Amino acid sequence: MSSIPHLDYLDRLEAEAIHILREVAGQFERPALLFSGGKDSIVLVHLAKKAFRPGRFPFPLVHIDTGHNFPEVLEFRDQLAAELGEKLVVRCVEDTIKKQKLRDATGKFPSRNPLQTYTLLEVIEEFEFDACIGGARRDEEKARAKERIFSIRDEFGQWDPKRQRPELWNIYNGRIQKGENVRVFPISNWTELDVWRYIQRENIALPAIYFGHPRTCVVLPSGQLLGLSEHLHLDENDEIVERQVRFRTVGDSTCTAAVESDAVTIDDIIADLLLAKVSERGATRLDDNISEAGMEDRKRNGYF
């Protein structure tokens, strides 16, 4: 009688994610993988390689560029896509603002994150994507904890938590009506710590911005540190400092705070996370704190 090979918890998470990616390939005609160059989407690309190599990915990589992204991350995005030899589709929020005559973000820290929704819906319509794969995780934010792995969106891209389908025994129902689409989250059951331990195990390369480095920062009233950027509209009395920081997440540079850290290796980062008391979004994403239901409201309107 053959013995069943032992799988540790990272093996199980990996196997689940690969199964989900293959389900997407099997159930949908025109899927896409949303790829920002951040650590979670990089892990998704690594999992896609395990799921589909030596063949090509059954989906393009798609990035919604706000125009406020960190340059280091965009450079890494382009480099990785070139190394993979996979199609990278980039659509810019700036173009959507002009086309749809939207009001651009204003204020001291003008985040374009809410405007990404319009560009995302445009690219879904342009390519008729019926499924979009993303790296959201349930531990990031309470609204995301309500979402299924296969999350149904209506013809307007809107999310209704009451329409979410049961997911029993790893069975995922991707049946949709014309015009609807599904957002798929293969690493939904992972935590930030799981992601870093997997990156460590698999020796996955990341943008240097995730590791401790000196950076010129603006000190916010909350004490958070925002990397100095040409997109910020600062006052004369704003405090500008040089600090050793790293980024736990790499969204729009106008609303993504850094954390002070001397962690320059993955071992260092894992040690930091074991002591952390605040989630990565809670610690670093300014736009999530606009209102108690800020993320959920944006998701209802089509945000990823």
Side-chain angles (χ1 to χ4, degrees), residues 70-91:
F70 293 100
E72 305 98 311
V73 177
L74 296 182
E75 182 180 347
F76 189 93
R77 175 203 70 186
D78 294 341
Q79 177 186 334
L80 182 56
E83 289 174 0
L84 290 168
E86 299 290 346
K87 181 179 180 180
L88 173 64
V89 175
V90 178
R91 291 295 180 268

Side-chain angles (χ1 to χ4, degrees), residues 113 137 139-141 144 192 224 248-249 251 255 278-289 295 298 303:
N113 271 357
R137 306 186 320 271
D139 74 317
E140 290 181 277
E141 205 274 341
R144 287 183 165 168
E192 182 185 11
Q224 291 172 297
R248 289 175 69 180
T249 181
C255 67
V278 183
S279 73
E280 61 193 294
R281 293 191 71 95
T284 65
R285 296 301 287 271
L286 278 60
D287 55 336
D288 285 354
N289 299 320
M295 171 63 81
R298 280 181 285 149
Y303 188 79

Side-chain angles (χ1 to χ4, degrees), residues 68 70 109-112 226 229 231-232 251-256 286:
H68 293 173
F70 293 100
F109 309 113
S111 170
R112 283 179 171 172
L226 204 60
S229 159
H231 306 297
L232 303 180
D252 196 323
S253 65
T254 56
C255 67
T256 306
L286 278 60

